[in-house]
Amino acid sequence: MATKTKALPIFLSFLIVLALIEVSHAGGIAIYWGQAGSETTLNVTCNSGLYKYVNLAFLNKFGSGRTPVLNLAGHCNPANGGCRVASSAIKNCQSKGIKVMLSIGGGIGQYSLASKADAKKVADYLYNNFLGGKSASRPLGSAVLDGIDFDIELGSTKHWDDLARYLAAYSKPGRKVYLSAAPQCPFPDRFLGTALSTGLFDYVWVQFYNNGPCQYSPGNTSKILASWNRWASMKWMKKLFLGLPAAKAAAGSGYYDRVNGYSTTIKSKV
């Protein structure tokens, strides 16, 4: 598909996040919101009409006995319940047909899963505090998020498949728990390879940047095309997205300027 209008890069440059462009199916740009205090509000983000998916980033402390901590980069203070005000904005996004996910992990934080039992404990926490369950201390208030995004870049590589299975098991008629993931482009991803092979992930936005062997480099698309085709060939793949930095400041390398004003089409078997 083509990216939106030339106003898109200006909007994204304030957000300092990743534009994740779905090119194997019609429609859809996903964005990570909550990584910079200078970015626009969640309401403005969803009211722009640009996005089909919004990942709230990040729950970056959890597992292995840790008390879970939500970090939305200064937009609100979850410690005193201050992030519950986001509930109305989340509901506004969802009323426009936008799926809103909680992203767990990220490039900075403290998280890991110590065992299968620990994965179950984390799944229960996520369901009761962010999804369709019940808790007296829901960090984002009464809003029910659509699912969980796995952006796992640190800590142990174990038990993420267990967490995916436990979360998926909470799906019920009329209330599906969607799962998405943001693996690095080297295949298979070191942290999420086993989890992705379960076939439970509805959306996969591969990070085609900060990885020399498989990212875009000026004048050379062969590496990113080869990597894309490798990911697209997986039988468990449902929807594959092209994950690229929305602005140069969002990543150290792999920035593809043409995405900000021109068509981007990558053909695949997906």
Side-chain angles (χ1 to χ4, degrees), residues 91-134:
K91 293 175 182 178
N92 170 55
C93 296
Q94 293 170 325
S95 72
K96 300 178 183 301
I98 299 169
K99 286 186 170 56
V100 183
M101 318 276 283
L102 173 68
S103 187
I104 63 172
I108 300 174
Q110 299 176 39
Y111 55 86
S112 62
L113 298 173
S115 63
K116 188 172 182 178
D118 190 32
K120 179 63 166 64
K121 185 176 181 179
V122 171
D124 291 345
Y125 171 82
L126 292 172
Y127 180 73
N128 288 320
N129 285 276
F130 297 98
L131 302 172
K134 295 182 179 180

Side-chain angles (χ1 to χ4, degrees), residues 2-266:
T3 56
K4 301 292 184 178
T5 67
K6 289 191 177 181
L8 177 62
I10 299 173
F11 187 82
L12 292 178
S13 67
F14 288 110
L15 298 179
I16 316 300
V17 293
L18 308 178
L20 301 163
I21 304 166
E22 182 187 12
V23 294
S24 59
H25 294 264
I29 294 180
I31 192 169
Y32 280 78
W33 180 90
Q35 295 185 92
S38 60
E39 66 193 345
T40 191
T41 67
L42 183 56
N43 267 325
V44 170
T45 298
C46 291
N47 290 342
S48 70
L50 297 173
Y51 308 109
K52 188 174 180 180
Y53 311 89
V54 173
N55 294 316
L56 306 181
F58 294 98
L59 185 80
N60 66 350
K61 185 177 181 180
F62 62 88
S64 300
R66 303 179 183 93
T67 299
V69 174
L70 178 68
N71 185 342
L72 296 180
H75 286 282
C76 56
N77 183 2
N80 61 9
C83 290
R84 293 175 187 172
V85 299
S87 182
S88 60
I90 293 168
K91 293 175 182 178
N92 170 55
C93 296
Q94 293 170 325
S95 72
K96 300 178 183 301
I98 299 169
K99 286 186 170 56
V100 183
M101 318 276 283
L102 173 68
S103 187
I104 63 172
I108 300 174
Q110 299 176 39
Y111 55 86
S112 62
L113 298 173
S115 63
K116 188 172 182 178
D118 190 32
K120 179 63 166 64
K121 185 176 181 179
V122 171
D124 291 345
Y125 171 82
L126 292 172
Y127 180 73
N128 288 320
N129 285 276
F130 297 98
L131 302 172
K134 295 182 179 180
S135 170
S137 57
R138 292 173 66 91
L140 296 173
S142 61
V144 177
L145 301 185
D146 295 288
I148 302 296
D149 174 65
F150 288 50
D151 185 4
I152 307 304
E153 304 180 36
L154 304 172
S156 172
T157 62
K158 298 179 179 180
H159 303 296
W160 301 111
D161 56 331
D162 293 320
L163 180 59
R165 291 187 185 96
Y166 286 129
L167 287 170
Y170 277 118
S171 290
K172 59 186 67 174
R175 176 61 71 178
K176 175 179 171 59
V177 174
Y178 289 90
L179 299 180
S180 62
Q184 305 289 318
C185 58
F187 186 92
D189 182 78
R190 185 165 69 95
F191 291 97
L192 292 173
T194 302
L196 289 170
S197 66
T198 64
L200 296 172
F201 287 80
D202 301 283
Y203 316 110
V204 178
W205 13 76
V206 181
Q207 300 183 43
F208 289 103
Y209 54 91
N210 293 349
N211 288 284
C214 49
Q215 70 179 28
Y216 167 77
S217 56
N220 182 1
T221 60
S222 61
K223 291 186 291 186
I224 190 173
L225 284 170
S227 182
W228 172 272
N229 288 328
R230 180 83 180 273
W231 281 97
S233 69
M234 295 299 102
K235 294 181 179 180
W236 41 256
M237 187 68 69
K238 295 178 181 178
K239 285 192 176 182
L240 176 64
F241 288 62
L242 180 67
L244 296 172
K248 290 183 178 179
S253 61
Y255 178 66
Y256 188 25
D257 188 59
R258 279 180 61 92
V259 171
N260 285 338
Y262 302 89
S263 298
T264 299
T265 303
I266 296 182

